[in-house]
Amino acid sequence: MPKLIRIEGGQFVSADDPFTHVADDEGLPPGDVIISLTRFSSEGDTLISQGRAVGVRIEPDEEVEALAYDLPKVAVVAVAFPKYRDGRGFSTAHLLRARFGFKGEVRAVGEVLREEANFLTRCGCDSFEPADGSSPAQWAHAANRHRHVYQRAADGRTPAFTERAES
Amino acid sequence: MYQYDTLDKEFLADRAAEFKEQVQRRLAGEITEDQFKALRLRNGLYLQLHAYMLRVAIPYGSLNAVQLRKLADIGRRYDKGYGHFTTRTNLQFHWIKLRETPAILEELATVDLHAIQTSGNCIRNVTSDPYAGATAEEIDDPRVWSEAIRQWSMLHPEFSHLPRKFKFAVTASPKDRTAARVHDIGLVVRRARDGTMGFEVIVGGGMGRTPYVGPTIREFLPANRLFSYLDAVLRVYNRHGRRDNSYKARIKILVAALGADEFRRQVEEEWEKVGPGADMPDTEIARIRAAFAPKAFDTLVNRSEAFETAKAADPAFARFARNNLKPHKRPGYTIVEISLKGIGDTPGDATSDQMDVVADLGERYGQNDIRVTHEQNLVLPHVKLDDAPAVFAALAAAGLATPNINLITDIIACPGLDYCALANARAIPIAQDIAHRFADQDRAELVGELKIKISGCINACGHHHVGHIGILGVDKKGEEFYQLTLGGSGAEDAEVGKMLGPALPADRVTDAIDTIVEVYLRERAEGERFLDTFRRTGVAPFKEAVYAEAH
């Protein structure tokens, strides 16, 4: 079972991953799958009608808007960070949460490093496939080490200006 | 001035602690240099030709005496007794040891300074007007908006891995001292006829290998909608900026590729969706504004007897007053600009001892307010005319009274091949050579305003594209050559300079500048600056004279 870290009740925990990533040219295994946007548009409904939970992987150059209409049917959106320095996925995650109100799992996949924990969680990611072998404790440490944030973001943390106004 | 509250201070302490841990992991071999590189760059730590370089952020170029003394102290204890002020109004230390950087950052944090986002593909330090709060020209204090942008951009989760670095300039004066039109975003405060405050928004200016003067994509953005609009601009850029080629990844390339109209359409469409929920609350802007409320100025008359007497008695002071003092909004006050371009100096360098002198003067005579300019000078924005002779005397004793602001020897130069791993040619010796040639102050004043800007490579840190005379170092088969451009401007009349002709070898540059100046003196009409003459005559007479001599 691939290693997965997720946020549950505000805590970073190790979790079993019921989903299998399936490439476009691969045959479908049984069970819950994460597939590409292309594959989802042709086979998504069929797979869902088979009773599977279906996740969709969004690449950085793909527009999450293409999925907006179907989001209620989607269990997981896997936001791809092929290189951690490619920040397009942050906008994708932000839009999923803040614009489209997606309540399901938003998972960061690819070159996912704990150094990005703060940015990823603030943009609304709540599960992670770490590429650096890091542990939930290390993620919690990295994500929570700043006592204050200056901006509103998809995680709903209280920004500095609100803290000040309330103090 | 804005004072950091507990929250700002805790933020800096947390960030310093985070970086300390990252350095420890690197020193312990837990992360590779390649992984560490991205982490250190995000914290202003470069590995240069000879050593590590640490770039300390000076938000909107504003310092108090305690901060400047701390920089002096760090220069003395961790570097070689000096620092280098940059065109981003930051301060760089060029001789830093990796293992000492956590300690340096901890010390900086004690005086509310840091190195966050001074490098990397994120929103960098904001440039603002060094005369903010002191000039009668401004229609608002641009530091209010600069500070708000500082906060909004600090570890912004969505915009921390942009396609490339991203630079803001904010000004509120008709005279632009920030080079707003050659920034990724230039914001010019405007007031509508009904008194409403807003911004002209300029996006996609820049220098480097493809220089552009940025187009205005919005004539008037209501001030209270600033942050939702910035969200929209940055989101369009983050999603659609090129990432396949770092030379084509700046927002200027996206704006140019789409065209200003299409870019504007995309931003406006996104802005509609973002909505006012993303704007900073008025209460926070009001809180920041209160922090910049003017200090109590004394009620003085325009004319200072002490000042007039000193001018009459001392020609050196009179010259300093003529060139380095600028009009203040209050009677009896002046803005003192301190040149870091002494003849033979490295432009932008200040020794720790000099920093201490400026800190003392700022504290004693200048309301504890010190500014850094993008032209690599320092400013004491609030000095009484009565005190100007004493300030001059102290500056002169410290070698800081060079009376050359905006003159031909007030040269911007990047560190070039002497320090920078990217450079193709040296910049500092060229600047020094030109300064020596024009060391005669009478001649320099006869020439008048003439901005020379030198870059040691195409990345244009020395802003050569917008120099009245720009000098670009290029490498030709292992030899340093210099490409001259004329007629550039980074001010409100921004323009990219025009190529003069084939590049010249290093030993021909100063002669060429001399020839260009002679042509200008011959051609100029009454009251014309070099730039005005060039715009009238075009490149031909200059080209002819320089290359006639070269043959």
Side-chain angles (χ1 to χ4, degrees), chain A residues 60-66 81 83-92 94-95 98-100 111 113-116 118-124 131-132 138 141-155 159-165 167, chain B residues 2 4-11 13-19 21-22 25 30-31 34-35 37-39 42 117 121 150-162 234-235 238-241 243 270 273-274 276-281 283-284 287:
Chain A
D61 59 354
E62 291 175 331
E63 306 242 317
V64 64
E65 284 85 344
F81 293 85
K83 290 182 181 154
Y84 83 88
R85 278 173 276 199
D86 187 335
R88 286 177 285 186
F90 294 130
S91 286
T92 301
H94 172 88
L95 291 173
R99 185 158 300 164
F100 301 120
E111 192 179 1
L113 309 178
R114 67 171 132 147
E115 303 300 344
E116 309 302 310
N118 185 24
F119 298 145
L120 290 168
T121 54
R122 296 220 64 215
C123 287
D132 58 356
Q138 287 169 328
H141 179 67
N144 297 324
R145 67 171 316 140
H146 283 275
R147 283 168 280 180
H148 309 286
V149 295
Y150 279 112
Q151 351 41 23
R152 289 189 190 95
D155 62 346
F161 51 76
T162 307
E163 278 194 80
R164 286 171 174 139
S167 69
Chain B
Y2 185 79
Y4 280 23
D5 65 2
T6 313
L7 195 152
D8 292 304
K9 286 173 187 290
E10 288 178 349
F11 182 86
D14 291 347
R15 179 67 188 108
E18 181 176 32
F19 190 66
E21 237 174 58
Q22 292 167 348
R25 280 167 53 207
E30 290 171 24
I31 43 178
D34 195 49
Q35 291 167 326
K37 183 178 174 187
L39 304 179
R42 217 186 282 168
Q117 290 173 204
N121 295 334
R150 174 193 77 82
Q151 295 190 25
W152 165 81
S153 61
M154 275 283 118
L155 303 191
H156 194 298
E158 189 182 344
F159 305 133
S160 285
H161 287 293
L162 295 167
L234 269 293
R235 188 166 297 130
N238 191 37
R239 301 183 78 193
H240 302 301
R243 289 174 185 265
E270 176 64 26
K273 293 176 188 157
V274 173
D279 286 304
M280 199 175 278
T283 48
E284 178 66 5
R287 187 188 72 88

Side-chain angles (χ1 to χ4, degrees), chain B residues 316-464:
Chain B
F317 176 62
R319 194 189 285 279
F320 179 82
R322 192 159 63 235
N323 293 316
N324 291 37
L325 301 189
K326 309 292 169 189
H328 197 277
K329 65 181 177 182
R330 298 285 302 214
Y333 282 84
T334 185
I335 298 169
V336 178
E337 194 149 339
I338 301 166
S339 170
L340 297 180
K341 320 288 178 60
I343 308 303
D345 288 352
T346 298
D349 273 12
T351 66
S352 292
D353 292 348
Q354 288 176 326
M355 288 187 236
D356 278 341
V357 168
V358 175
D360 290 348
L361 292 174
E363 193 167 59
R364 180 158 176 204
Y365 298 112
Q367 298 197 350
N368 196 18
D369 196 343
I370 299 145
R371 309 284 172 76
V372 186
T373 79
H374 89 271
E375 299 189 317
Q376 300 178 289
N377 293 317
L378 299 176
V379 166
L380 301 177
H382 311 296
V383 174
K384 288 179 192 171
L385 281 171
D386 287 346
D387 295 330
V391 169
F392 169 72
L395 289 174
L400 286 171
T402 312
N404 65 347
I405 297 301
N406 290 334
L407 300 181
I408 190 166
T409 53
D410 185 6
I411 299 168
I412 290 182
C414 73
L417 200 52
D418 292 297
Y419 294 97
C420 179
L422 299 174
N424 298 112
R426 282 167 298 168
I428 294 167
I430 299 290
Q432 289 168 328
D433 202 41
I434 295 168
H436 280 297
R437 180 70 63 91
F438 289 92
D440 176 357
Q441 279 289 337
D442 288 328
R443 184 163 177 235
E445 282 184 45
L446 177 74
V447 174
E449 183 185 308
L450 206 171
K451 292 172 188 279
I452 297 183
K453 303 179 200 258
I454 307 174
S455 300
C457 80
I458 201 151
N459 293 305
C461 295
H463 293 190
H464 65 275

